[in-house]
Amino acid sequence: MIKLTQRALGTKLKIGDAASAVPIGFLTSISSPSMSQETIDVTTLDSDGEYREFIGGFKDGGEVSASGFFNPDDPGQAAVYDALENSTTEDFTIEFPAEMGAKWIFKGVVTAYQTSAELEDAISFEITIKVSGKPVLEITPTP
């Protein structure tokens, strides 16, 4: 039976290769890669009906953003901060709840890390990851 909806509870963003991936803790929001494709104008003087014509160009993996509650003791938050400081390209995985059988796998560069303290809120943090190369949506059949 196909489940049409699924709660986000249990979704994780991890940093590091499969053998040593560390979950980034205390998250409340994770976006997926925001992929896009450029177009190349191939309009000619013979184009039908005076309409422009296009073909696909380079694709861009876009960005992934995540936010949550700041915890300086969390190993995942520390790893993301270190990746920003060291300007390294890292492996990332967004794992949806197991019953969905889906996850995003991609390489990325951390381009932003921000904390925020508001009067009547918990201290929060936000990160932005620029996807490097092709993100892969891996789907595993579920029983």
Side-chain angles (χ1 to χ4, degrees), residues 64-79:
V64 169
S65 62
S67 60
F69 300 114
F70 178 60
N71 183 327
D73 294 329
D74 179 71
Q77 289 187 27

Side-chain angles (χ1 to χ4, degrees), residues 28-61:
T28 58
S29 174
I30 306 167
S31 73
S32 74
S34 54
M35 299 176 293
S36 62
Q37 182 172 17
E38 295 176 0
T39 57
I40 300 169
D41 188 335
V42 293
T43 308
T44 67
L45 296 173
D46 300 340
S47 291
D48 190 31
E50 299 179 10
Y51 281 89
R52 292 192 174 277
E53 298 178 51
F54 297 91
I55 59 173
F58 283 108
K59 296 179 181 116
D60 186 329

Side-chain angles (χ1 to χ4, degrees), residues 12 15 28 59 86 111 113 124 127:
K12 296 179 180 2
I15 182 172
T28 58
K59 296 179 181 116
N86 296 317
T111 58
Y113 187 107
S124 62
I127 58 173

Side-chain angles (χ1 to χ4, degrees), residues 78-88 110 113:
V80 170
Y81 182 78
D82 288 344
L84 175 73
E85 282 295 311
N86 296 317
S87 301
T88 55
V110 179
Y113 187 107

Side-chain angles (χ1 to χ4, degrees), residues 104-115:
W104 282 104
I105 302 167
F106 60 96
K107 291 189 177 295
V109 177
V110 179
T111 58
Y113 187 107
Q114 174 183 341
T115 58

